[in-house]
Amino acid sequence: LGKCLLSPIVLAAYAYNRSLSELGPGGRTDGEPGVLCQLFAFLMAFFGLAPTLLLLAMALECWLSLGHPYFYRRHLTRRLGATLGPAAAGLCALFCALPLLGFGVPMQYCPGTWCFMRMAGGGPRQLGFPVLYASLMGLLVLAIGACNVSSMRHLYGMARRQPRRGPPAAAAPRMEELDHLILLGLMTVLFTICSLPLIIRAYMGAFAADFNENADLSALRFLSVNSIVDPWVFIIFRTSVFRMFIRRVCRRL
């Protein structure tokens, strides 16, 4: 949804050879973001935070189902799962709308085809939101990493308890748990690598006054790469050929 909403705006800016502020109403003066730029900054912040919150919900669900199955069976229902998505989206929308209300400043970045919150060069009122945004992202990354590491520990323990010798049917559960273990590990590493650059840039801009638009653009690219790569990692890893290759590597090791 984020790619479908944001990509046409960028393509229109390139097609008309104009910046986002020039495309929409307002923002004709230097340094003033237009309405389209403000909307773009809101969508960038929202689609960076909302999937992270949903990933945390998924990591918590995985951790509870493996480590606390009785609590999971008793308290986690389908109705609760169905309400998590809209609740997470609503909370993220309210939080990311703070720059539109004056707490934080949307800013157009070079080359004029993308906008995000100002991460350097401003007072406490302008830089308070990116620091809060980065802190929240950092806490979510830590929580997701902790849940996934705990889930991997439970999966490893389950695999160790499976019989190592015997017919293929007896060894199948152990290999399935190892498949999930490797998949969780890969997605955790990718998510952490892609999320940390934005968090670091926000803190550097606020506390070290490091204004570098190219570095900010690279951090946003890392954040966008995560949402593109993660589904492909999941899809490719679930194929039978790739899983057979991983199993042969595990057996040799």
Side-chain angles (χ1 to χ4, degrees):
L1 183 60
K3 297 296 183 288
C4 292
L5 289 176
L6 291 169
S7 298
I9 302 176
V10 179
L11 294 175
Y14 276 108
Y16 289 102
N17 197 25
R18 301 168 72 182
S19 66
L20 295 184
S21 293
E22 293 173 340
L23 279 177
R28 298 299 177 182
T29 60
D30 292 338
E32 180 185 347
V35 174
L36 191 61
C37 181
Q38 296 180 28
L39 175 63
F40 195 94
F42 167 78
L43 291 176
M44 285 286 288
F46 175 79
F47 286 110
L49 187 62
T52 310
L53 197 59
L54 290 176
L55 280 176
L56 176 61
M58 294 168 64
L60 281 172
E61 191 264 351
C62 184
W63 171 64
L64 287 173
S65 64
L66 290 172
H68 306 276
Y70 296 108
F71 179 88
Y72 175 82
R73 180 74 174 176
R74 184 173 183 179
H75 296 285
L76 270 70
T77 61
R78 289 181 178 270
R79 180 176 297 179
L80 177 62
T83 58
L84 280 177
L91 289 174
C92 291
L94 291 174
F95 179 77
C96 295
L98 290 176
L100 304 178
L101 302 177
F103 184 67
V105 178
M107 175 182 171
Q108 179 177 279
Y109 284 81
C110 183
T113 54
W114 68 287
C115 296
F116 198 61
M117 54 192 174
R118 178 186 289 274
M119 293 190 285
R125 187 178 180 86
Q126 288 78 24
L127 299 179
F129 179 78
V131 171
L132 190 61
Y133 186 89
S135 301
L136 183 58
M137 284 285 291
L139 289 174
L140 291 177
V141 169
L142 287 175
I144 292 170
C147 289
N148 284 345
V149 168
S150 179
S151 299
M152 287 188 284
R153 184 175 63 84
H154 287 299
L155 282 171
Y156 181 72
M158 292 166 64
R160 288 288 300 272
R161 287 192 293 270
Q162 294 291 336
R164 293 180 178 271
R165 299 182 181 275
R174 179 172 181 269
M175 295 309 302
E176 184 177 354
E177 285 145 8
L178 285 177
D179 289 340
H180 290 297
L181 175 65
I182 297 171
L183 177 62
L184 266 179
L186 282 175
M187 297 184 74
T188 303
V189 171
L190 281 172
F191 173 74
T192 305
I193 292 174
C194 292
S195 302
L196 283 180
L198 178 66
I199 299 171
I200 295 172
R201 286 302 306 164
Y203 279 112
M204 289 182 64
F207 297 109
D210 182 17
F211 187 76
N212 188 337
E213 291 193 22
N214 290 328
D216 294 339
L217 179 58
S218 299
L220 264 296
R221 282 173 174 164
F222 267 98
L223 191 66
S224 300
V225 162
N226 178 67
S227 60
I228 298 172
V229 173
D230 258 355
W232 282 106
V233 170
F234 185 80
I235 291 170
I236 293 172
F237 194 85
R238 298 292 289 182
T239 60
S240 58
V241 176
F242 189 78
R243 294 176 73 176
M244 185 63 66
F245 170 75
I246 292 294
R247 290 177 180 181
R248 287 181 178 178
V249 172
C250 289
R251 287 196 185 101
R252 288 185 178 273
L253 293 176

PDB file of all heavy atoms in Angstrom, residues 162-198:
ATOM      1  N   GLN A 162      14.101 -33.520  19.370  1.00  0.00           N
ATOM      2  CA  GLN A 162      13.635 -34.494  18.394  1.00  0.00           C
ATOM      3  C   GLN A 162      14.683 -35.590  18.212  1.00  0.00           C
ATOM      4  O   GLN A 162      15.881 -35.348  18.345  1.00  0.00           O
ATOM      5  CB  GLN A 162      13.371 -33.812  17.045  1.00  0.00           C
ATOM      6  CG  GLN A 162      12.218 -32.816  17.063  1.00  0.00           C
ATOM      7  CD  GLN A 162      10.886 -33.502  17.240  1.00  0.00           C
ATOM      8  OE1 GLN A 162      10.743 -34.686  16.921  1.00  0.00           O
ATOM      9  NE2 GLN A 162       9.914 -32.767  17.756  1.00  0.00           N
ATOM     10  N   PRO A 163      14.245 -36.820  17.904  1.00  0.00           N
ATOM     11  CA  PRO A 163      15.215 -37.910  17.694  1.00  0.00           C
ATOM     12  C   PRO A 163      16.094 -37.640  16.489  1.00  0.00           C
ATOM     13  O   PRO A 163      15.610 -37.215  15.435  1.00  0.00           O
ATOM     14  CB  PRO A 163      14.323 -39.145  17.475  1.00  0.00           C
ATOM     15  CG  PRO A 163      13.003 -38.597  17.044  1.00  0.00           C
ATOM     16  CD  PRO A 163      12.853 -37.271  17.733  1.00  0.00           C
ATOM     17  N   ARG A 164      17.398 -37.857  16.639  1.00  0.00           N
ATOM     18  CA  ARG A 164      18.334 -37.629  15.557  1.00  0.00           C
ATOM     19  C   ARG A 164      18.408 -38.810  14.598  1.00  0.00           C
ATOM     20  O   ARG A 164      18.791 -38.653  13.444  1.00  0.00           O
ATOM     21  CB  ARG A 164      19.743 -37.345  16.123  1.00  0.00           C
ATOM     22  CG  ARG A 164      19.828 -36.032  16.876  1.00  0.00           C
ATOM     23  CD  ARG A 164      21.222 -35.808  17.417  1.00  0.00           C
ATOM     24  NE  ARG A 164      21.291 -34.517  18.097  1.00  0.00           N
ATOM     25  CZ  ARG A 164      21.600 -33.373  17.486  1.00  0.00           C
ATOM     26  NH1 ARG A 164      21.838 -33.371  16.199  1.00  0.00           N
ATOM     27  NH2 ARG A 164      21.670 -32.244  18.167  1.00  0.00           N
ATOM     28  N   ARG A 165      18.101 -40.004  15.091  1.00  0.00           N
ATOM     29  CA  ARG A 165      18.176 -41.183  14.238  1.00  0.00           C
ATOM     30  C   ARG A 165      16.784 -41.807  14.126  1.00  0.00           C
ATOM     31  O   ARG A 165      15.925 -41.604  14.971  1.00  0.00           O
ATOM     32  CB  ARG A 165      19.157 -42.205  14.811  1.00  0.00           C
ATOM     33  CG  ARG A 165      20.582 -41.669  14.929  1.00  0.00           C
ATOM     34  CD  ARG A 165      21.527 -42.739  15.448  1.00  0.00           C
ATOM     35  NE  ARG A 165      22.876 -42.233  15.577  1.00  0.00           N
ATOM     36  CZ  ARG A 165      23.757 -42.188  14.604  1.00  0.00           C
ATOM     37  NH1 ARG A 165      23.401 -42.632  13.394  1.00  0.00           N
ATOM     38  NH2 ARG A 165      24.980 -41.716  14.804  1.00  0.00           N
ATOM     39  N   GLY A 166      16.620 -42.540  13.083  1.00  0.00           N
ATOM     40  CA  GLY A 166      15.353 -43.207  12.888  1.00  0.00           C
ATOM     41  C   GLY A 166      14.834 -42.979  11.482  1.00  0.00           C
ATOM     42  O   GLY A 166      15.550 -42.520  10.591  1.00  0.00           O
ATOM     43  N   PRO A 167      13.562 -43.299  11.236  1.00  0.00           N
ATOM     44  CA  PRO A 167      13.004 -43.137   9.892  1.00  0.00           C
ATOM     45  C   PRO A 167      12.904 -41.656   9.514  1.00  0.00           C
ATOM     46  O   PRO A 167      12.929 -40.781  10.375  1.00  0.00           O
ATOM     47  CB  PRO A 167      11.611 -43.780  10.021  1.00  0.00           C
ATOM     48  CG  PRO A 167      11.306 -43.703  11.479  1.00  0.00           C
ATOM     49  CD  PRO A 167      12.602 -43.848  12.191  1.00  0.00           C
ATOM     50  N   PRO A 168      12.771 -41.342   8.228  1.00  0.00           N
ATOM     51  CA  PRO A 168      12.662 -39.949   7.791  1.00  0.00           C
ATOM     52  C   PRO A 168      11.495 -39.208   8.424  1.00  0.00           C
ATOM     53  O   PRO A 168      11.573 -38.012   8.665  1.00  0.00           O
ATOM     54  CB  PRO A 168      12.489 -40.067   6.266  1.00  0.00           C
ATOM     55  CG  PRO A 168      13.091 -41.403   5.910  1.00  0.00           C
ATOM     56  CD  PRO A 168      12.817 -42.283   7.098  1.00  0.00           C
ATOM     57  N   ALA A 169      10.407 -39.903   8.703  1.00  0.00           N
ATOM     58  CA  ALA A 169       9.253 -39.234   9.300  1.00  0.00           C
ATOM     59  C   ALA A 169       9.573 -38.684  10.676  1.00  0.00           C
ATOM     60  O   ALA A 169       9.030 -37.664  11.106  1.00  0.00           O
ATOM     61  CB  ALA A 169       8.079 -40.213   9.388  1.00  0.00           C
ATOM     62  N   ALA A 170      10.468 -39.360  11.413  1.00  0.00           N
ATOM     63  CA  ALA A 170      10.827 -38.888  12.749  1.00  0.00           C
ATOM     64  C   ALA A 170      11.719 -37.670  12.687  1.00  0.00           C
ATOM     65  O   ALA A 170      11.706 -36.823  13.575  1.00  0.00           O
ATOM     66  CB  ALA A 170      11.517 -40.012  13.520  1.00  0.00           C
ATOM     67  N   ALA A 171      12.548 -37.579  11.641  1.00  0.00           N
ATOM     68  CA  ALA A 171      13.463 -36.445  11.519  1.00  0.00           C
ATOM     69  C   ALA A 171      12.810 -35.234  10.876  1.00  0.00           C
ATOM     70  O   ALA A 171      13.349 -34.133  10.946  1.00  0.00           O
ATOM     71  CB  ALA A 171      14.686 -36.850  10.694  1.00  0.00           C
ATOM     72  N   ALA A 172      11.625 -35.401  10.241  1.00  0.00           N
ATOM     73  CA  ALA A 172      10.975 -34.290   9.547  1.00  0.00           C
ATOM     74  C   ALA A 172      10.629 -33.122  10.470  1.00  0.00           C
ATOM     75  O   ALA A 172      10.870 -31.967  10.118  1.00  0.00           O
ATOM     76  CB  ALA A 172       9.727 -34.801   8.823  1.00  0.00           C
ATOM     77  N   PRO A 173      10.036 -33.362  11.677  1.00  0.00           N
ATOM     78  CA  PRO A 173       9.743 -32.226  12.543  1.00  0.00           C
ATOM     79  C   PRO A 173      10.977 -31.426  12.919  1.00  0.00           C
ATOM     80  O   PRO A 173      10.940 -30.200  12.992  1.00  0.00           O
ATOM     81  CB  PRO A 173       9.087 -32.881  13.771  1.00  0.00           C
ATOM     82  CG  PRO A 173       8.572 -34.180  13.289  1.00  0.00           C
ATOM     83  CD  PRO A 173       9.559 -34.614  12.248  1.00  0.00           C
ATOM     84  N   ARG A 174      12.102 -32.133  13.169  1.00  0.00           N
ATOM     85  CA  ARG A 174      13.321 -31.435  13.555  1.00  0.00           C
ATOM     86  C   ARG A 174      13.782 -30.510  12.420  1.00  0.00           C
ATOM     87  O   ARG A 174      14.189 -29.370  12.653  1.00  0.00           O
ATOM     88  CB  ARG A 174      14.404 -32.456  13.898  1.00  0.00           C
ATOM     89  CG  ARG A 174      15.727 -31.822  14.291  1.00  0.00           C
ATOM     90  CD  ARG A 174      16.687 -32.878  14.800  1.00  0.00           C
ATOM     91  NE  ARG A 174      17.955 -32.261  15.206  1.00  0.00           N
ATOM     92  CZ  ARG A 174      18.996 -32.096  14.411  1.00  0.00           C
ATOM     93  NH1 ARG A 174      18.918 -32.518  13.158  1.00  0.00           N
ATOM     94  NH2 ARG A 174      20.100 -31.524  14.842  1.00  0.00           N
ATOM     95  N   MET A 175      13.761 -30.973  11.167  1.00  0.00           N
ATOM     96  CA  MET A 175      14.184 -30.151  10.052  1.00  0.00           C
ATOM     97  C   MET A 175      13.219 -28.996   9.827  1.00  0.00           C
ATOM     98  O   MET A 175      13.630 -27.902   9.452  1.00  0.00           O
ATOM     99  CB  MET A 175      14.292 -31.005   8.782  1.00  0.00           C
ATOM    100  CG  MET A 175      15.365 -32.078   8.857  1.00  0.00           C
ATOM    101  SD  MET A 175      16.981 -31.446   9.383  1.00  0.00           S
ATOM    102  CE  MET A 175      17.287 -30.227   8.120  1.00  0.00           C
ATOM    103  N   GLU A 176      11.926 -29.208  10.068  1.00  0.00           N
ATOM    104  CA  GLU A 176      10.961 -28.114   9.915  1.00  0.00           C
ATOM    105  C   GLU A 176      11.229 -27.017  10.933  1.00  0.00           C
ATOM    106  O   GLU A 176      11.152 -25.822  10.612  1.00  0.00           O
ATOM    107  CB  GLU A 176       9.542 -28.661  10.079  1.00  0.00           C
ATOM    108  CG  GLU A 176       8.473 -27.609   9.842  1.00  0.00           C
ATOM    109  CD  GLU A 176       7.079 -28.185   9.938  1.00  0.00           C
ATOM    110  OE1 GLU A 176       6.955 -29.417  10.078  1.00  0.00           O
ATOM    111  OE2 GLU A 176       6.128 -27.400   9.885  1.00  0.00           O
ATOM    112  N   GLU A 177      11.556 -27.391  12.158  1.00  0.00           N
ATOM    113  CA  GLU A 177      11.879 -26.380  13.168  1.00  0.00           C
ATOM    114  C   GLU A 177      13.159 -25.640  12.820  1.00  0.00           C
ATOM    115  O   GLU A 177      13.273 -24.430  13.031  1.00  0.00           O
ATOM    116  CB  GLU A 177      11.990 -27.054  14.541  1.00  0.00           C
ATOM    117  CG  GLU A 177      10.640 -27.436  15.131  1.00  0.00           C
ATOM    118  CD  GLU A 177      10.707 -28.726  15.919  1.00  0.00           C
ATOM    119  OE1 GLU A 177      11.819 -29.239  16.122  1.00  0.00           O
ATOM    120  OE2 GLU A 177       9.637 -29.230  16.308  1.00  0.00           O
ATOM    121  N   LEU A 178      14.138 -26.352  12.241  1.00  0.00           N
ATOM    122  CA  LEU A 178      15.364 -25.685  11.812  1.00  0.00           C
ATOM    123  C   LEU A 178      15.084 -24.717  10.661  1.00  0.00           C
ATOM    124  O   LEU A 178      15.701 -23.655  10.571  1.00  0.00           O
ATOM    125  CB  LEU A 178      16.408 -26.721  11.392  1.00  0.00           C
ATOM    126  CG  LEU A 178      17.092 -27.478  12.531  1.00  0.00           C
ATOM    127  CD1 LEU A 178      18.043 -28.528  11.976  1.00  0.00           C
ATOM    128  CD2 LEU A 178      17.850 -26.512  13.434  1.00  0.00           C
ATOM    129  N   ASP A 179      14.153 -25.080   9.775  1.00  0.00           N
ATOM    130  CA  ASP A 179      13.770 -24.165   8.696  1.00  0.00           C
ATOM    131  C   ASP A 179      13.226 -22.864   9.267  1.00  0.00           C
ATOM    132  O   ASP A 179      13.609 -21.766   8.844  1.00  0.00           O
ATOM    133  CB  ASP A 179      12.713 -24.823   7.799  1.00  0.00           C
ATOM    134  CG  ASP A 179      13.305 -25.936   6.963  1.00  0.00           C
ATOM    135  OD1 ASP A 179      14.536 -25.945   6.795  1.00  0.00           O
ATOM    136  OD2 ASP A 179      12.543 -26.788   6.484  1.00  0.00           O
ATOM    137  N   HIS A 180      12.311 -22.967  10.217  1.00  0.00           N
ATOM    138  CA  HIS A 180      11.745 -21.772  10.834  1.00  0.00           C
ATOM    139  C   HIS A 180      12.817 -20.991  11.599  1.00  0.00           C
ATOM    140  O   HIS A 180      12.787 -19.754  11.626  1.00  0.00           O
ATOM    141  CB  HIS A 180      10.600 -22.160  11.773  1.00  0.00           C
ATOM    142  CG  HIS A 180       9.383 -22.660  11.062  1.00  0.00           C
ATOM    143  ND1 HIS A 180       8.648 -21.882  10.197  1.00  0.00           N
ATOM    144  CD2 HIS A 180       8.774 -23.874  11.083  1.00  0.00           C
ATOM    145  CE1 HIS A 180       7.636 -22.583   9.715  1.00  0.00           C
ATOM    146  NE2 HIS A 180       7.687 -23.802  10.242  1.00  0.00           N
ATOM    147  N   LEU A 181      13.729 -21.707  12.212  1.00  0.00           N
ATOM    148  CA  LEU A 181      14.799 -21.060  12.968  1.00  0.00           C
ATOM    149  C   LEU A 181      15.676 -20.202  12.052  1.00  0.00           C
ATOM    150  O   LEU A 181      15.960 -19.035  12.351  1.00  0.00           O
ATOM    151  CB  LEU A 181      15.642 -22.128  13.664  1.00  0.00           C
ATOM    152  CG  LEU A 181      16.898 -21.668  14.413  1.00  0.00           C
ATOM    153  CD1 LEU A 181      16.516 -20.803  15.586  1.00  0.00           C
ATOM    154  CD2 LEU A 181      17.707 -22.856  14.884  1.00  0.00           C
ATOM    155  N   ILE A 182      16.082 -20.760  10.922  1.00  0.00           N
ATOM    156  CA  ILE A 182      16.924 -20.014   9.979  1.00  0.00           C
ATOM    157  C   ILE A 182      16.156 -18.853   9.368  1.00  0.00           C
ATOM    158  O   ILE A 182      16.693 -17.749   9.192  1.00  0.00           O
ATOM    159  CB  ILE A 182      17.447 -20.973   8.887  1.00  0.00           C
ATOM    160  CG1 ILE A 182      18.328 -22.054   9.520  1.00  0.00           C
ATOM    161  CG2 ILE A 182      18.231 -20.209   7.830  1.00  0.00           C
ATOM    162  CD1 ILE A 182      18.716 -23.156   8.561  1.00  0.00           C
ATOM    163  N   LEU A 183      14.883 -19.071   9.044  1.00  0.00           N
ATOM    164  CA  LEU A 183      14.064 -17.991   8.469  1.00  0.00           C
ATOM    165  C   LEU A 183      13.928 -16.831   9.443  1.00  0.00           C
ATOM    166  O   LEU A 183      14.084 -15.656   9.063  1.00  0.00           O
ATOM    167  CB  LEU A 183      12.685 -18.549   8.092  1.00  0.00           C
ATOM    168  CG  LEU A 183      11.680 -17.529   7.540  1.00  0.00           C
ATOM    169  CD1 LEU A 183      12.199 -16.908   6.257  1.00  0.00           C
ATOM    170  CD2 LEU A 183      10.331 -18.187   7.307  1.00  0.00           C
ATOM    171  N   LEU A 184      13.646 -17.137  10.707  1.00  0.00           N
ATOM    172  CA  LEU A 184      13.541 -16.075  11.713  1.00  0.00           C
ATOM    173  C   LEU A 184      14.860 -15.328  11.867  1.00  0.00           C
ATOM    174  O   LEU A 184      14.882 -14.097  11.990  1.00  0.00           O
ATOM    175  CB  LEU A 184      13.122 -16.674  13.056  1.00  0.00           C
ATOM    176  CG  LEU A 184      11.639 -16.683  13.400  1.00  0.00           C
ATOM    177  CD1 LEU A 184      11.433 -17.341  14.763  1.00  0.00           C
ATOM    178  CD2 LEU A 184      11.060 -15.286  13.414  1.00  0.00           C
ATOM    179  N   GLY A 185      15.959 -16.062  11.852  1.00  0.00           N
ATOM    180  CA  GLY A 185      17.264 -15.422  11.989  1.00  0.00           C
ATOM    181  C   GLY A 185      17.564 -14.483  10.837  1.00  0.00           C
ATOM    182  O   GLY A 185      18.017 -13.350  11.035  1.00  0.00           O
ATOM    183  N   LEU A 186      17.298 -14.929   9.594  1.00  0.00           N
ATOM    184  CA  LEU A 186      17.540 -14.092   8.423  1.00  0.00           C
ATOM    185  C   LEU A 186      16.701 -12.818   8.461  1.00  0.00           C
ATOM    186  O   LEU A 186      17.199 -11.708   8.217  1.00  0.00           O
ATOM    187  CB  LEU A 186      17.234 -14.882   7.151  1.00  0.00           C
ATOM    188  CG  LEU A 186      18.273 -15.896   6.683  1.00  0.00           C
ATOM    189  CD1 LEU A 186      17.746 -16.672   5.489  1.00  0.00           C
ATOM    190  CD2 LEU A 186      19.563 -15.181   6.308  1.00  0.00           C
ATOM    191  N   MET A 187      15.417 -12.946   8.762  1.00  0.00           N
ATOM    192  CA  MET A 187      14.527 -11.779   8.766  1.00  0.00           C
ATOM    193  C   MET A 187      14.888 -10.822   9.894  1.00  0.00           C
ATOM    194  O   MET A 187      14.773  -9.601   9.744  1.00  0.00           O
ATOM    195  CB  MET A 187      13.072 -12.238   8.870  1.00  0.00           C
ATOM    196  CG  MET A 187      12.626 -13.070   7.683  1.00  0.00           C
ATOM    197  SD  MET A 187      10.883 -13.532   7.720  1.00  0.00           S
ATOM    198  CE  MET A 187      10.102 -11.979   7.318  1.00  0.00           C
ATOM    199  N   THR A 188      15.337 -11.339  11.031  1.00  0.00           N
ATOM    200  CA  THR A 188      15.740 -10.469  12.133  1.00  0.00           C
ATOM    201  C   THR A 188      16.974  -9.657  11.770  1.00  0.00           C
ATOM    202  O   THR A 188      17.042  -8.453  12.015  1.00  0.00           O
ATOM    203  CB  THR A 188      16.008 -11.306  13.396  1.00  0.00           C
ATOM    204  OG1 THR A 188      14.832 -12.051  13.722  1.00  0.00           O
ATOM    205  CG2 THR A 188      16.372 -10.410  14.573  1.00  0.00           C
ATOM    206  N   VAL A 189      17.964 -10.314  11.157  1.00  0.00           N
ATOM    207  CA  VAL A 189      19.188  -9.602  10.759  1.00  0.00           C
ATOM    208  C   VAL A 189      18.883  -8.554   9.705  1.00  0.00           C
ATOM    209  O   VAL A 189      19.348  -7.403   9.789  1.00  0.00           O
ATOM    210  CB  VAL A 189      20.236 -10.618  10.247  1.00  0.00           C
ATOM    211  CG1 VAL A 189      21.422  -9.898   9.622  1.00  0.00           C
ATOM    212  CG2 VAL A 189      20.703 -11.502  11.385  1.00  0.00           C
ATOM    213  N   LEU A 190      18.084  -8.905   8.700  1.00  0.00           N
ATOM    214  CA  LEU A 190      17.745  -7.954   7.645  1.00  0.00           C
ATOM    215  C   LEU A 190      16.981  -6.756   8.207  1.00  0.00           C
ATOM    216  O   LEU A 190      17.268  -5.598   7.868  1.00  0.00           O
ATOM    217  CB  LEU A 190      16.900  -8.646   6.571  1.00  0.00           C
ATOM    218  CG  LEU A 190      17.648  -9.515   5.565  1.00  0.00           C
ATOM    219  CD1 LEU A 190      16.666 -10.286   4.701  1.00  0.00           C
ATOM    220  CD2 LEU A 190      18.546  -8.655   4.694  1.00  0.00           C
ATOM    221  N   PHE A 191      16.015  -7.020   9.065  1.00  0.00           N
ATOM    222  CA  PHE A 191      15.210  -5.938   9.630  1.00  0.00           C
ATOM    223  C   PHE A 191      16.073  -4.996  10.467  1.00  0.00           C
ATOM    224  O   PHE A 191      15.931  -3.777  10.390  1.00  0.00           O
ATOM    225  CB  PHE A 191      14.092  -6.536  10.488  1.00  0.00           C
ATOM    226  CG  PHE A 191      13.304  -5.519  11.251  1.00  0.00           C
ATOM    227  CD1 PHE A 191      12.396  -4.696  10.610  1.00  0.00           C
ATOM    228  CD2 PHE A 191      13.474  -5.373  12.618  1.00  0.00           C
ATOM    229  CE1 PHE A 191      11.678  -3.752  11.310  1.00  0.00           C
ATOM    230  CE2 PHE A 191      12.756  -4.430  13.325  1.00  0.00           C
ATOM    231  CZ  PHE A 191      11.858  -3.622  12.666  1.00  0.00           C
ATOM    232  N   THR A 192      16.980  -5.544  11.247  1.00  0.00           N
ATOM    233  CA  THR A 192      17.846  -4.707  12.088  1.00  0.00           C
ATOM    234  C   THR A 192      18.782  -3.850  11.244  1.00  0.00           C
ATOM    235  O   THR A 192      18.946  -2.649  11.487  1.00  0.00           O
ATOM    236  CB  THR A 192      18.660  -5.587  13.044  1.00  0.00           C
ATOM    237  OG1 THR A 192      17.762  -6.409  13.803  1.00  0.00           O
ATOM    238  CG2 THR A 192      19.481  -4.745  13.996  1.00  0.00           C
ATOM    239  N   ILE A 193      19.401  -4.455  10.221  1.00  0.00           N
ATOM    240  CA  ILE A 193      20.327  -3.718   9.363  1.00  0.00           C
ATOM    241  C   ILE A 193      19.611  -2.583   8.626  1.00  0.00           C
ATOM    242  O   ILE A 193      20.148  -1.480   8.470  1.00  0.00           O
ATOM    243  CB  ILE A 193      21.002  -4.678   8.367  1.00  0.00           C
ATOM    244  CG1 ILE A 193      21.942  -5.629   9.114  1.00  0.00           C
ATOM    245  CG2 ILE A 193      21.770  -3.914   7.298  1.00  0.00           C
ATOM    246  CD1 ILE A 193      22.551  -6.699   8.231  1.00  0.00           C
ATOM    247  N   CYS A 194      18.395  -2.832   8.169  1.00  0.00           N
ATOM    248  CA  CYS A 194      17.667  -1.830   7.387  1.00  0.00           C
ATOM    249  C   CYS A 194      17.071  -0.726   8.262  1.00  0.00           C
ATOM    250  O   CYS A 194      16.826   0.382   7.766  1.00  0.00           O
ATOM    251  CB  CYS A 194      16.552  -2.501   6.589  1.00  0.00           C
ATOM    252  SG  CYS A 194      17.146  -3.582   5.270  1.00  0.00           S
ATOM    253  N   SER A 195      16.835  -0.975   9.528  1.00  0.00           N
ATOM    254  CA  SER A 195      16.191   0.021  10.390  1.00  0.00           C
ATOM    255  C   SER A 195      17.192   0.914  11.111  1.00  0.00           C
ATOM    256  O   SER A 195      16.889   2.084  11.389  1.00  0.00           O
ATOM    257  CB  SER A 195      15.306  -0.685  11.425  1.00  0.00           C
ATOM    258  OG  SER A 195      14.328  -1.475  10.805  1.00  0.00           O
ATOM    259  N   LEU A 196      18.371   0.403  11.422  1.00  0.00           N
ATOM    260  CA  LEU A 196      19.329   1.172  12.217  1.00  0.00           C
ATOM    261  C   LEU A 196      19.818   2.459  11.551  1.00  0.00           C
ATOM    262  O   LEU A 196      20.015   3.464  12.237  1.00  0.00           O
ATOM    263  CB  LEU A 196      20.519   0.285  12.591  1.00  0.00           C
ATOM    264  CG  LEU A 196      20.281  -0.718  13.724  1.00  0.00           C
ATOM    265  CD1 LEU A 196      21.535  -1.535  13.983  1.00  0.00           C
ATOM    266  CD2 LEU A 196      19.849  -0.002  14.999  1.00  0.00           C
ATOM    267  N   PRO A 197      20.081   2.508  10.223  1.00  0.00           N
ATOM    268  CA  PRO A 197      20.581   3.761   9.638  1.00  0.00           C
ATOM    269  C   PRO A 197      19.676   4.965   9.876  1.00  0.00           C
ATOM    270  O   PRO A 197      20.172   6.056  10.178  1.00  0.00           O
ATOM    271  CB  PRO A 197      20.687   3.434   8.143  1.00  0.00           C
ATOM    272  CG  PRO A 197      20.922   1.964   8.103  1.00  0.00           C
ATOM    273  CD  PRO A 197      20.108   1.414   9.230  1.00  0.00           C
ATOM    274  N   LEU A 198      18.349   4.789   9.763  1.00  0.00           N
ATOM    275  CA  LEU A 198      17.442   5.921  10.007  1.00  0.00           C
ATOM    276  C   LEU A 198      17.500   6.368  11.460  1.00  0.00           C
ATOM    277  O   LEU A 198      17.501   7.573  11.747  1.00  0.00           O
ATOM    278  CB  LEU A 198      16.017   5.528   9.623  1.00  0.00           C
ATOM    279  CG  LEU A 198      14.958   6.603   9.883  1.00  0.00           C
ATOM    280  CD1 LEU A 198      15.194   7.814   8.990  1.00  0.00           C
ATOM    281  CD2 LEU A 198      13.552   6.056   9.663  1.00  0.00           C
TER     282      LEU A 198
END
